[in-house]
Amino acid sequence: MGSQCPVMVKNSIHALDDRIEEMDPRYKKIVGNLAANLAATTLKVKSRYFHRIGVSRKGYLKSYDEIRGLPEHNVFGPGKKYTVIVRHSNSLSADDDARIDARGAALRILSSEKGDTSPLLDFTLKTGKAFYARTVSDFATWLVCGLAAREEHIKRASHVRDAVWTSICQADSYADLHYYSNICRLFRFKDGQEMYVKFKLRPSDENIGEDFGKVEPSGILPPETGAIPRDANDTRPLLFLAEDFQNRVNSPNGLQVRPIPQDEAARDIALDCTKPWDETEFPYTDVGEVIINENLTKEGSERLEFNPFLRCHKVDVIRATSSSHSASIDHGRSLVYKICQHLRNGDPLPEAWRVFLEQSDVKVDLSGCPMAASL
């Protein structure tokens, strides 16, 4: 019965988001629920969910004149120079820098074309060589389950415990820490080669090792709040890390690349951000130095919107169609970030994103969204 040639019709009144269109139904449901949960919190507190407050500075990235061990690359090539913005922050501690917490370094690279100040690439890095969630499904589950469930989980995945504890650290200065992208991207070289790549930002002082600020585990996992309170005898100011960063100047930037496996299962293992790559097999190569020479105002820092989906053909984001793929966490979080940024700034929410939120299991009051009245 019915038409012998059924036709699928899409609503063309509003622009679609290809990130959503590429997801299978389960992937859409997980990311939709995650976005709705974080959107509700964003509307309530009118601030970022993670890395809530930060300090930013502006400067430039200068590639070294000679880069050994890597094929020639259009973006990270010898002698290249770009304007950059670096934002440092604590993961969960928004009011006391002395708390033991994971630290972040978001790096924005602006176009090198004269007169063009548009962002070219955004990288989000953090302390610790690995992340506690392999997929966006793992990430969503980790956020909503309690400490007891997390501790039960790491009994079956001890490397996840290592990822959590090695991410949190004591800090005297943001500039004395090593930051890692954890999640990799796709590098396309001039000769046509394609490789997976991870990024690292390290202190300019080579005597400061990767274990600087290391915290010895004091339990199965840190407290449920994530950040461990400061020592009772610590008398440093609440936001001393922000003050210190405004006086620091440079950090070398490095890349870790590996060939793309031919087998799909092997590729998914390579993309697993809960396990660092073996540095003896895939060593880091220093490609340039970040020189910081200009402070941004607190208001300017708050307005920054880092987007992990910002990419170019030569440094691309790896896409995913299923929530079980290792690449799903980067693909999925890029959408969540942008939805929350729009709501935090009071910007109109695109229709495709509004529908995406409404189809989730979490109800979000969008009456404060500028788009709601016209709808």
Side-chain angles (χ1 to χ4, degrees):
M1 294 180 66
S3 172
Q4 295 182 4
C5 301
V7 177
M8 180 178 288
V9 179
K10 284 191 174 182
N11 184 352
S12 59
I13 295 177
H14 60 81
L16 300 174
D17 189 309
D18 61 349
R19 287 171 292 186
I20 299 175
E21 298 303 306
E22 291 172 354
M23 298 176 179
D24 66 24
R26 185 170 185 272
Y27 192 7
K28 286 183 182 179
K29 178 63 70 174
I30 290 172
V31 176
N33 287 347
L34 178 61
N37 268 304
L38 298 187
T41 302
T42 298
L43 287 171
K44 183 178 180 180
V45 301
K46 294 181 173 57
S47 181
R48 292 177 170 88
Y49 189 90
F50 296 109
H51 301 278
R52 186 163 295 176
I53 64 169
V55 58
S56 305
R57 299 194 73 197
K58 194 173 183 179
Y60 61 90
L61 166 63
K62 172 70 165 60
S63 296
Y64 296 134
D65 292 331
E66 184 179 5
I67 301 174
R68 296 181 179 179
L70 289 178
E72 194 171 353
H73 193 266
N74 278 338
V75 177
F76 294 94
K80 292 278 188 176
K81 187 176 180 180
Y82 302 90
T83 299
V84 297
I85 297 173
V86 179
R87 180 183 188 268
H88 280 299
S89 58
N90 307 320
S91 177
L92 295 170
S93 177
D95 58 354
D96 188 356
D97 287 344
R99 289 182 180 174
I100 299 174
D101 195 3
R103 319 291 173 172
L107 175 67
R108 165 163 290 177
I109 300 177
L110 304 180
S111 174
S112 62
E113 299 295 329
K114 289 185 177 180
D116 185 359
T117 58
S118 61
L120 176 66
L121 294 166
D122 275 355
F123 299 118
T124 53
L125 304 93
K126 69 167 189 62
T127 48
K129 296 182 180 181
F131 193 54
Y132 55 77
R134 181 180 70 85
T135 67
V136 74
S137 178
D138 295 340
F139 179 63
T141 302
W142 185 276
L143 285 186
V144 299
C145 73
L147 185 60
R150 294 174 184 174
E151 291 180 346
E152 193 63 31
H153 169 64
I154 65 170
K155 290 179 181 177
R156 303 185 300 273
S158 58
H159 66 284
V160 173
R161 179 176 185 261
D162 295 336
V164 173
W165 278 107
T166 55
S167 295
I168 65 173
C169 57
Q170 294 176 329
D172 296 318
S173 169
Y174 284 132
D176 289 343
L177 301 173
H178 293 247
Y179 300 91
Y180 307 85
S181 63
N182 292 172
I183 296 167
C184 59
R185 287 199 177 187
L186 180 63
F187 237 34
R188 294 187 175 99
F189 295 95
K190 279 188 174 182
D191 62 5
Q193 286 190 70
E194 293 187 354
M195 301 181 81
Y196 289 152
V197 60
K198 291 184 179 181
F199 299 87
K200 178 181 178 180
L201 195 64
R202 67 170 178 83
S204 56
D205 185 349
E206 294 185 0
N207 294 317
I208 301 176
E210 294 176 337
D211 289 339
F212 188 81
K214 181 180 178 180
V215 174
E216 292 298 331
S218 56
I220 299 176
L221 284 172
E224 201 158 5
T225 55
I228 301 173
R230 70 159 64 201
D231 187 276
N233 298 319
D234 193 332
T235 59
R236 291 175 294 181
L238 290 177
L239 301 180
F240 69 91
L241 289 177
E243 295 171 8
D244 172 83
F245 179 57
Q246 292 174 341
N247 300 315
R248 297 300 185 108
V249 288
N250 59 340
S251 299
N253 176 254
L255 306 176
Q256 186 184 27
V257 298
R258 69 180 291 174
I260 301 174
Q262 296 298 314
D263 179 68
E264 184 178 348
R267 288 197 296 272
D268 206 57
I269 292 172
L271 295 173
D272 184 352
C273 58
T274 65
K275 298 176 181 178
W277 292 346
D278 184 345
E279 292 184 33
T280 58
E281 187 176 2
F282 310 112
Y284 278 98
T285 301
D286 282 344
V287 296
E289 196 166 52
V290 175
I291 309 296
I292 300 298
N293 54 17
E294 182 182 338
N295 288 329
L296 265 67
T297 64
K298 182 179 179 181
E299 293 74 20
S301 182
E302 286 302 309
R303 285 197 301 268
L304 288 173
E305 296 180 356
F306 291 94
N307 179 10
F309 208 67
L310 186 62
R311 83 275 192 207
C312 62
H313 179 71
K314 299 301 180 183
V315 188
D316 212 345
V317 172
I318 300 168
R319 312 291 275 257
T321 58
S322 168
S323 60
S324 64
H325 294 164
S326 291
S328 66
I329 197 163
D330 203 28
H331 184 152
R333 72 172 179 159
S334 70
L335 186 63
V336 175
Y337 273 33
K338 292 303 293 180
I339 290 174
C340 290
Q341 284 170 357
H342 270 64
L343 293 175
R344 187 175 74 244
N345 295 334
D347 296 331
L349 203 62
E351 175 73 356
W353 296 356
R354 189 185 68 83
V355 172
F356 188 58
L357 290 180
E358 289 181 344
Q359 291 174 345
S360 74
D361 297 329
V362 181
K363 298 307 175 186
V364 184
D365 180 9
L366 295 175
S367 60
C369 173
M371 186 67 78
S374 60
L375 292 170

